[in-house]
Amino acid sequence: MDPMIKCLVWDLDDTLWQGTLQEDEAGIKLLPGITSVLHTLDRRGIIQSIASRNNWEHVKSKLEELGVGQYFLYPQCHFDSKTLSMERISKELNIGLDSLAFIDNDPFERFEINYYVPQVRTYDAREYRDLPEYPEFQAGHVTEESEKRRQYMQARFRREEARKEYKGTREQFLRECGMKLQIRLAQEEDYPRVVELSHRTNQMNSLLERIDLPFVDSYCNQAGHYLYVAKLEDRFGAHGLIGTCFVNTADEEVDISLFCISCRIEGRGIASAFLYTVLERLGQQLPTAETVRCRLVRKQRNLPARLLLEMLGFKKSVSDDLESIYILQLPLPHKAFNWLEIGE
Protein backbone atom coordinates (compact mmCIF):
# COMPACT_ATOMS: atom_id res chain seq x y z
CA MET A 1 0.00 0.00 0.00
CA ASP A 2 1.37 3.43 -0.94
CA PRO A 3 2.02 5.77 1.99
CA MET A 4 -0.69 8.37 2.45
CA ILE A 5 0.06 11.91 1.36
CA LYS A 6 1.26 13.94 4.33
CA CYS A 7 2.15 17.15 2.49
CA LEU A 8 0.78 18.79 -0.65
CA VAL A 9 3.10 21.29 -2.31
CA TRP A 10 1.44 24.00 -4.41
CA ASP A 11 2.75 25.93 -7.36
CA LEU A 12 1.28 29.46 -7.35
CA ASP A 13 0.87 31.14 -10.77
CA ASP A 14 -2.19 29.71 -12.54
CA THR A 15 -2.33 26.92 -9.95
CA LEU A 16 -3.26 28.43 -6.58
CA TRP A 17 -4.25 31.74 -8.10
CA GLN A 18 -5.20 33.15 -11.48
CA GLY A 19 -2.45 35.07 -13.22
CA THR A 20 1.29 35.58 -12.91
CA LEU A 21 2.54 37.46 -9.86
CA GLN A 22 5.53 39.05 -11.57
CA GLU A 23 3.40 40.38 -14.44
CA ASP A 24 0.16 41.47 -12.76
CA GLU A 25 0.44 41.57 -8.98
CA ALA A 26 -2.65 43.74 -8.57
CA GLY A 27 -4.83 41.43 -10.67
CA ILE A 28 -4.04 38.20 -8.83
CA LYS A 29 -7.11 36.31 -7.54
CA LEU A 30 -7.49 32.91 -5.92
CA LEU A 31 -8.96 30.21 -8.13
CA PRO A 32 -12.66 29.53 -7.43
CA GLY A 33 -13.16 27.17 -4.50
CA ILE A 34 -9.47 27.00 -3.63
CA THR A 35 -9.99 28.20 -0.05
CA SER A 36 -12.36 25.30 0.58
CA VAL A 37 -9.76 22.83 -0.72
CA LEU A 38 -7.06 24.35 1.49
CA HIS A 39 -9.29 24.21 4.55
CA THR A 40 -10.44 20.64 3.93
CA LEU A 41 -6.92 19.28 3.52
CA ASP A 42 -5.70 21.30 6.51
CA ARG A 43 -8.46 19.89 8.73
CA ARG A 44 -7.47 16.36 7.68
CA GLY A 45 -3.95 16.96 8.91
CA ILE A 46 -2.33 17.25 5.47
CA ILE A 47 0.44 19.83 5.65
CA GLN A 48 0.64 22.25 2.71
CA SER A 49 3.64 24.06 1.33
CA ILE A 50 4.73 26.02 -1.76
CA ALA A 51 7.28 25.55 -4.55
CA SER A 52 7.29 28.64 -6.77
CA ARG A 53 9.73 30.64 -8.88
CA ASN A 54 8.81 33.94 -7.26
CA ASN A 55 10.23 36.34 -4.72
CA TRP A 56 9.20 35.24 -1.22
CA GLU A 57 8.45 38.73 0.09
CA HIS A 58 6.03 39.35 -2.78
CA VAL A 59 4.47 35.92 -2.31
CA LYS A 60 4.11 36.37 1.44
CA SER A 61 2.43 39.75 1.02
CA LYS A 62 0.00 38.40 -1.59
CA LEU A 63 -0.88 35.29 0.44
CA GLU A 64 -1.66 37.44 3.47
CA GLU A 65 -3.71 39.83 1.34
CA LEU A 66 -5.70 36.87 -0.01
CA GLY A 67 -6.21 35.46 3.50
CA VAL A 68 -4.52 32.07 2.99
CA GLY A 69 -0.97 32.64 4.23
CA GLN A 70 -1.54 30.62 7.41
CA TYR A 71 -1.92 27.34 5.52
CA PHE A 72 1.64 27.04 4.18
CA LEU A 73 4.70 25.72 6.03
CA TYR A 74 8.31 25.82 4.85
CA PRO A 75 7.47 27.61 1.56
CA GLN A 76 10.15 27.39 -1.13
CA CYS A 77 10.14 30.55 -3.23
CA HIS A 78 13.34 30.86 -5.26
CA PHE A 79 14.65 30.31 -8.77
CA ASP A 80 16.30 26.93 -8.20
CA SER A 81 14.69 23.71 -9.41
CA LYS A 82 11.47 22.53 -7.82
CA THR A 83 13.13 19.16 -7.31
CA LEU A 84 15.38 20.88 -4.80
CA SER A 85 12.29 22.40 -3.18
CA MET A 86 10.75 18.92 -2.74
CA GLU A 87 13.92 17.64 -1.10
CA ARG A 88 14.11 20.62 1.25
CA ILE A 89 10.46 20.33 2.29
CA SER A 90 10.86 16.59 2.86
CA LYS A 91 13.87 17.23 5.09
CA GLU A 92 12.25 20.08 7.03
CA LEU A 93 9.10 18.05 7.72
CA ASN A 94 11.09 14.86 8.40
CA ILE A 95 8.90 12.80 6.06
CA GLY A 96 9.73 10.63 3.06
CA LEU A 97 9.50 11.93 -0.49
CA ASP A 98 6.86 9.26 -1.10
CA SER A 99 4.61 11.16 1.33
CA LEU A 100 4.79 14.35 -0.76
CA ALA A 101 2.50 15.47 -3.58
CA PHE A 102 2.99 18.35 -6.01
CA ILE A 103 0.38 20.28 -8.02
CA ASP A 104 1.41 22.53 -10.93
CA ASN A 105 -0.14 23.79 -14.17
CA ASP A 106 3.11 23.37 -16.12
CA PRO A 107 3.67 19.87 -17.60
CA PHE A 108 7.42 20.53 -17.78
CA GLU A 109 7.60 21.10 -14.01
CA ARG A 110 5.60 17.94 -13.32
CA PHE A 111 7.80 15.94 -15.70
CA GLU A 112 10.95 17.19 -13.97
CA ILE A 113 9.62 16.07 -10.60
CA ASN A 114 8.59 12.69 -12.03
CA TYR A 115 12.06 12.28 -13.54
CA TYR A 116 14.26 13.26 -10.59
CA VAL A 117 12.08 12.37 -7.58
CA PRO A 118 9.54 9.83 -8.88
CA GLN A 119 8.44 9.08 -5.31
CA VAL A 120 6.58 12.42 -5.28
CA ARG A 121 3.09 12.15 -6.76
CA THR A 122 2.18 14.94 -9.18
CA TYR A 123 -1.14 16.48 -10.22
CA ASP A 124 -2.27 18.79 -12.98
CA ALA A 125 -3.54 22.11 -11.59
CA ARG A 126 -6.88 21.47 -13.30
CA GLU A 127 -7.48 18.68 -10.73
CA TYR A 128 -7.39 20.96 -7.68
CA ARG A 129 -11.12 20.74 -6.87
CA ASP A 130 -11.01 16.93 -6.98
CA LEU A 131 -8.00 16.41 -4.71
CA PRO A 132 -9.99 16.01 -1.47
CA GLU A 133 -11.97 13.18 -3.10
CA TYR A 134 -8.91 11.14 -4.09
CA PRO A 135 -8.18 8.13 -1.81
CA GLU A 136 -4.64 9.25 -1.07
CA PHE A 137 -6.00 12.46 0.49
CA GLN A 138 -8.53 10.64 2.67
CA ALA A 139 -7.64 10.71 6.37
CA GLY A 140 -10.30 8.39 7.81
CA HIS A 141 -11.37 9.70 11.22
CA VAL A 142 -10.54 13.38 11.71
CA THR A 143 -8.86 13.52 15.12
CA GLU A 144 -7.88 16.45 17.32
CA GLU A 145 -4.27 15.82 16.28
CA SER A 146 -5.08 15.94 12.56
CA GLU A 147 -7.10 19.15 12.92
CA LYS A 148 -4.20 20.78 14.77
CA ARG A 149 -1.28 19.24 12.86
CA ARG A 150 -0.35 22.52 11.20
CA GLN A 151 -0.26 24.26 14.59
CA TYR A 152 1.88 21.43 15.98
CA MET A 153 4.32 21.87 13.11
CA GLN A 154 4.38 25.62 13.63
CA ALA A 155 5.22 25.03 17.32
CA ARG A 156 8.00 22.71 16.19
CA PHE A 157 9.34 25.48 13.95
CA ARG A 158 9.36 27.92 16.89
CA ARG A 159 11.18 25.32 18.99
CA GLU A 160 13.84 24.78 16.32
CA GLU A 161 14.37 28.52 16.04
CA ALA A 162 14.80 28.76 19.80
CA ARG A 163 17.24 25.83 19.74
CA LYS A 164 19.41 27.56 17.13
CA GLU A 165 19.56 30.70 19.28
CA TYR A 166 20.24 28.84 22.56
CA LYS A 167 23.90 28.94 23.67
CA GLY A 168 23.81 26.29 26.41
CA THR A 169 24.12 22.49 26.23
CA ARG A 170 21.54 20.27 24.56
CA GLU A 171 20.25 18.95 27.90
CA GLN A 172 20.00 22.47 29.30
CA PHE A 173 17.93 23.51 26.29
CA LEU A 174 15.62 20.50 26.68
CA ARG A 175 15.09 21.44 30.33
CA GLU A 176 14.25 24.98 29.28
CA CYS A 177 11.54 23.61 26.96
CA GLY A 178 9.45 22.54 29.97
CA MET A 179 8.38 19.24 28.41
CA LYS A 180 5.64 17.26 30.12
CA LEU A 181 5.00 13.66 29.01
CA GLN A 182 1.78 11.97 30.09
CA ILE A 183 1.90 8.15 29.84
CA ARG A 184 -1.31 6.27 30.53
CA LEU A 185 -3.56 3.46 29.34
CA ALA A 186 -5.59 4.37 26.28
CA GLN A 187 -9.22 5.38 26.57
CA GLU A 188 -11.81 4.67 23.92
CA GLU A 189 -11.73 8.25 22.66
CA ASP A 190 -7.99 7.75 21.90
CA TYR A 191 -8.59 4.87 19.48
CA PRO A 192 -9.06 6.94 16.28
CA ARG A 193 -5.77 8.74 16.91
CA VAL A 194 -4.03 5.40 17.61
CA VAL A 195 -5.22 4.18 14.20
CA GLU A 196 -4.16 7.42 12.53
CA LEU A 197 -0.70 7.22 14.09
CA SER A 198 -0.20 3.71 12.73
CA HIS A 199 -1.05 4.94 9.23
CA ARG A 200 1.10 8.07 9.35
CA THR A 201 4.20 6.70 11.09
CA ASN A 202 6.92 4.80 9.23
CA GLN A 203 10.21 5.59 10.97
CA MET A 204 9.08 4.66 14.49
CA ASN A 205 6.66 1.86 13.61
CA SER A 206 7.97 -1.53 14.75
CA LEU A 207 5.92 -3.61 12.31
CA LEU A 208 4.90 -0.93 9.77
CA GLU A 209 1.34 -2.03 10.55
CA ARG A 210 -1.75 -0.16 9.30
CA ILE A 211 -4.35 -1.09 11.88
CA ASP A 212 -8.05 -0.17 12.12
CA LEU A 213 -10.56 0.62 14.85
CA PRO A 214 -11.94 -2.97 15.18
CA PHE A 215 -8.39 -4.23 15.73
CA VAL A 216 -7.72 -1.69 18.49
CA ASP A 217 -11.05 -2.36 20.19
CA SER A 218 -10.55 -6.15 20.03
CA TYR A 219 -6.98 -5.92 21.31
CA CYS A 220 -7.94 -3.82 24.32
CA ASN A 221 -10.75 -6.19 25.27
CA GLN A 222 -8.47 -9.23 25.56
CA ALA A 223 -7.19 -10.31 28.96
CA GLY A 224 -3.59 -9.36 29.59
CA HIS A 225 -3.50 -6.90 26.69
CA TYR A 226 -2.65 -3.25 27.32
CA LEU A 227 -2.51 -0.21 25.08
CA TYR A 228 -0.39 2.64 26.39
CA VAL A 229 -0.40 6.12 24.89
CA ALA A 230 1.74 9.20 25.37
CA LYS A 231 0.76 12.87 25.13
CA LEU A 232 3.30 15.68 25.09
CA GLU A 233 3.30 19.40 25.74
CA ASP A 234 6.01 22.01 26.23
CA ARG A 235 6.32 25.76 26.49
CA PHE A 236 5.82 26.08 22.74
CA GLY A 237 2.39 24.37 22.84
CA ALA A 238 0.62 21.02 23.05
CA HIS A 239 1.59 18.19 20.70
CA GLY A 240 -1.31 15.83 21.27
CA LEU A 241 -1.06 12.04 21.36
CA ILE A 242 2.38 11.23 19.95
CA GLY A 243 3.02 7.60 20.90
CA THR A 244 1.32 4.22 21.28
CA CYS A 245 2.52 0.86 22.57
CA PHE A 246 0.51 -2.40 22.38
CA VAL A 247 1.65 -4.89 25.03
CA ASN A 248 0.60 -8.53 25.56
CA THR A 249 1.22 -9.99 29.04
CA ALA A 250 -1.15 -12.96 28.75
CA ASP A 251 1.63 -15.54 29.34
CA GLU A 252 3.19 -13.66 32.25
CA GLU A 253 5.84 -12.35 29.87
CA VAL A 254 5.98 -8.90 28.31
CA ASP A 255 5.52 -8.96 24.55
CA ILE A 256 5.42 -5.68 22.61
CA SER A 257 2.93 -6.32 19.81
CA LEU A 258 3.43 -2.96 18.13
CA PHE A 259 4.72 0.52 18.90
CA CYS A 260 4.26 3.71 16.88
CA ILE A 261 5.83 7.05 17.81
CA SER A 262 5.42 10.26 15.84
CA CYS A 263 8.50 11.47 13.97
CA ARG A 264 7.50 15.04 14.94
CA ILE A 265 9.15 14.60 18.35
CA GLU A 266 12.39 13.04 17.10
CA GLY A 267 15.61 14.20 18.73
CA ARG A 268 14.27 15.01 22.19
CA GLY A 269 14.57 11.64 23.91
CA ILE A 270 10.77 11.33 24.10
CA ALA A 271 10.57 7.96 22.32
CA SER A 272 13.06 6.30 24.68
CA ALA A 273 11.42 7.90 27.75
CA PHE A 274 8.00 6.63 26.65
CA LEU A 275 8.97 3.02 25.92
CA TYR A 276 11.32 2.69 28.89
CA THR A 277 8.72 4.04 31.33
CA VAL A 278 6.05 1.67 29.97
CA LEU A 279 8.38 -1.32 30.34
CA GLU A 280 9.52 -0.23 33.80
CA ARG A 281 5.91 -0.03 34.97
CA LEU A 282 5.07 -3.41 33.46
CA GLY A 283 8.15 -4.95 35.10
CA GLN A 284 6.91 -3.74 38.47
CA GLN A 285 3.42 -5.06 37.69
CA LEU A 286 4.78 -8.48 36.64
CA PRO A 287 7.72 -9.13 39.00
CA THR A 288 8.12 -12.73 37.77
CA ALA A 289 8.57 -11.72 34.12
CA GLU A 290 12.13 -12.22 32.95
CA THR A 291 12.20 -10.70 29.47
CA VAL A 292 10.54 -8.26 27.09
CA ARG A 293 10.10 -9.50 23.53
CA CYS A 294 9.58 -7.26 20.48
CA ARG A 295 9.20 -8.15 16.80
CA LEU A 296 10.63 -5.70 14.31
CA VAL A 297 10.07 -5.65 10.56
CA ARG A 298 13.39 -5.36 8.70
CA LYS A 299 12.84 -2.32 6.46
CA GLN A 300 15.12 0.65 5.84
CA ARG A 301 12.35 3.16 6.46
CA ASN A 302 11.84 2.02 10.07
CA LEU A 303 15.55 1.93 10.89
CA PRO A 304 14.97 4.50 13.70
CA ALA A 305 12.73 1.93 15.45
CA ARG A 306 15.60 -0.60 15.46
CA LEU A 307 18.04 2.01 16.74
CA LEU A 308 15.59 2.90 19.51
CA LEU A 309 15.36 -0.73 20.68
CA GLU A 310 19.14 -1.09 20.67
CA MET A 311 19.56 2.15 22.60
CA LEU A 312 17.17 0.83 25.26
CA GLY A 313 19.27 -2.34 25.64
CA PHE A 314 17.36 -4.80 23.44
CA LYS A 315 19.50 -7.54 21.85
CA LYS A 316 18.66 -9.25 18.56
CA SER A 317 17.72 -12.87 19.23
CA VAL A 318 16.32 -14.26 15.98
CA SER A 319 16.42 -12.77 12.49
CA ASP A 320 15.47 -13.59 8.91
CA ASP A 321 14.97 -11.59 5.72
CA LEU A 322 11.60 -10.23 6.86
CA GLU A 323 11.84 -9.51 10.56
CA SER A 324 13.89 -9.76 13.72
CA ILE A 325 13.03 -10.56 17.33
CA TYR A 326 14.63 -8.42 20.01
CA ILE A 327 14.90 -9.37 23.70
CA LEU A 328 15.38 -7.17 26.76
CA GLN A 329 16.17 -8.64 30.18
CA LEU A 330 14.04 -7.73 33.22
CA PRO A 331 13.95 -6.23 35.77
CA LEU A 332 14.93 -2.84 34.43
CA PRO A 333 16.93 -0.47 36.62
CA HIS A 334 15.21 2.80 37.32
CA LYS A 335 16.22 5.43 34.79
CA ALA A 336 15.65 9.15 35.26
CA PHE A 337 14.85 11.34 32.29
CA ASN A 338 15.87 14.59 33.93
CA TRP A 339 15.04 16.88 31.04
CA LEU A 340 11.27 16.24 31.16
CA GLU A 341 8.43 15.68 33.58
CA ILE A 342 6.70 12.29 33.28
CA GLY A 343 3.20 11.79 34.68
CA GLU A 344 0.14 9.56 34.33
Side-chain angles (χ1 to χ4, degrees):
M1 184 177 68
D2 290 334
M4 69 175 292
I5 289 175
K6 298 179 181 178
C7 176
L8 174 63
V9 182
W10 293 83
D11 173 47
L12 296 177
D13 295 336
D14 292 319
T15 298
L16 185 80
W17 55 49
Q18 295 172 327
T20 302
L21 186 63
Q22 295 182 56
E23 296 176 358
D24 184 19
E25 185 172 345
I28 293 293
K29 294 181 180 179
L30 291 175
L31 287 169
I34 204 82
T35 303
S36 176
V37 173
L38 295 173
H39 176 73
T40 298
L41 297 179
D42 182 68
R43 186 171 178 271
R44 292 178 184 176
I46 296 172
I47 299 300
Q48 296 171 87
S49 189
I50 290 169
S52 174
R53 287 190 172 89
N54 274 298
N55 176 279
W56 168 237
E57 291 303 320
H58 291 164
V59 167
K60 181 181 179 182
S61 175
K62 182 56 64 173
L63 290 172
E64 291 175 353
E65 176 188 324
L66 297 172
V68 295
Q70 72 274 17
Y71 289 111
F72 303 104
L73 301 184
Y74 303 111
Q76 300 295 307
C77 294
H78 49 68
F79 295 91
D80 291 329
S81 76
K82 293 186 179 180
T83 297
L84 183 59
S85 294
M86 297 300 121
E87 293 170 343
R88 287 173 176 170
I89 292 168
S90 171
K91 181 179 180 180
E92 291 288 354
L93 293 176
N94 193 27
I95 60 176
L97 287 166
D98 58 357
S99 297
L100 287 182
F102 175 57
I103 182 167
D104 196 307
N105 67 306
D106 189 336
F108 172 85
E109 300 286 7
R110 300 196 303 273
F111 179 78
E112 182 182 26
I113 296 297
N114 292 334
Y115 187 85
Y116 287 107
V117 280
Q119 310 96 309
V120 177
R121 280 164 279 188
T122 60
Y123 301 87
D124 190 315
R126 291 174 293 185
E127 299 178 74
Y128 77 91
R129 285 183 183 270
D130 299 324
L131 293 182
E133 306 306 317
Y134 292 166
E136 59 267 37
F137 289 94
Q138 301 293 328
H141 287 81
V142 175
T143 66
E144 178 182 355
E145 282 76 9
S146 60
E147 287 186 315
K148 294 182 177 179
R149 184 159 289 113
R150 171 167 51 84
Q151 290 93 319
Y152 294 154
M153 296 302 297
Q154 289 167 333
R156 174 184 167 186
F157 177 77
R158 293 193 295 270
R159 185 184 313 104
E160 286 303 306
E161 289 298 302
R163 180 188 62 80
K164 292 175 184 176
E165 295 174 2
Y166 193 77
K167 304 303 180 183
T169 67
R170 176 67 175 170
E171 184 165 337
Q172 288 172 334
F173 172 72
L174 292 175
R175 286 175 182 269
E176 289 289 327
C177 288
M179 292 186 290
K180 297 180 181 179
L181 185 66
Q182 180 191 31
I183 301 173
R184 57 170 173 77
L185 290 173
Q187 301 166 1
E188 191 169 350
E189 57 264 31
D190 299 319
Y191 293 177
R193 170 56 180 164
V194 170
V195 170
E196 180 185 49
L197 197 57
S198 80
H199 284 257
R200 295 187 62 90
T201 304
N202 292 313
Q203 297 179 50
M204 284 286 188
N205 186 327
S206 57
L207 297 180
L208 295 174
E209 288 279 358
R210 312 306 185 198
I211 58 178
D212 56 20
L213 279 174
F215 173 86
V216 178
D217 188 64
S218 173
Y219 191 94
C220 293
N221 282 312
Q222 295 180 56
H225 285 56
Y226 301 93
L227 171 56
Y228 286 88
V229 297
K231 301 187 78 171
L232 177 68
E233 64 177 78
D234 60 23
R235 69 182 179 91
F236 301 96
H239 302 274
L241 196 155
I242 50 85
T244 70
C245 183
F246 293 76
V247 185
N248 178 3
T249 65
D251 298 322
E252 292 298 310
E253 291 295 330
V254 180
D255 192 337
I256 298 177
S257 306
L258 171 68
F259 68 81
C260 305
I261 303 170
S262 172
C263 61
R264 282 192 287 110
I265 50 86
E266 186 180 30
R268 280 171 271 169
I270 299 300
S272 57
F274 170 43
L275 276 191
Y276 197 91
T277 301
V278 166
L279 297 178
E280 189 178 14
R281 290 178 185 176
L282 286 168
Q284 295 168 355
Q285 183 177 325
L286 297 169
T288 60
E290 297 180 352
T291 59
V292 180
R293 179 179 180 272
C294 182
R295 289 170 53 223
L296 183 78
V297 166
R298 293 171 57 85
K299 295 286 186 181
Q300 183 63 31
R301 57 181 171 165
N302 73 335
L303 176 62
R306 175 173 69 81
L307 297 177
L308 172 62
L309 292 178
E310 293 175 352
M311 183 176 64
L312 292 175
F314 281 83
K315 304 296 183 184
K316 186 162 59 177
S317 173
V318 180
S319 183
D320 58 31
D321 291 340
L322 297 178
E323 66 179 42
S324 300
I325 296 176
Y326 283 80
I327 301 294
L328 178 66
Q329 298 297 319
L330 293 176
L332 295 180
H334 177 68
K335 187 174 182 179
F337 297 90
N338 296 321
W339 61 90
L340 79 161
E341 176 185 329
I342 298 178
E344 297 186 20

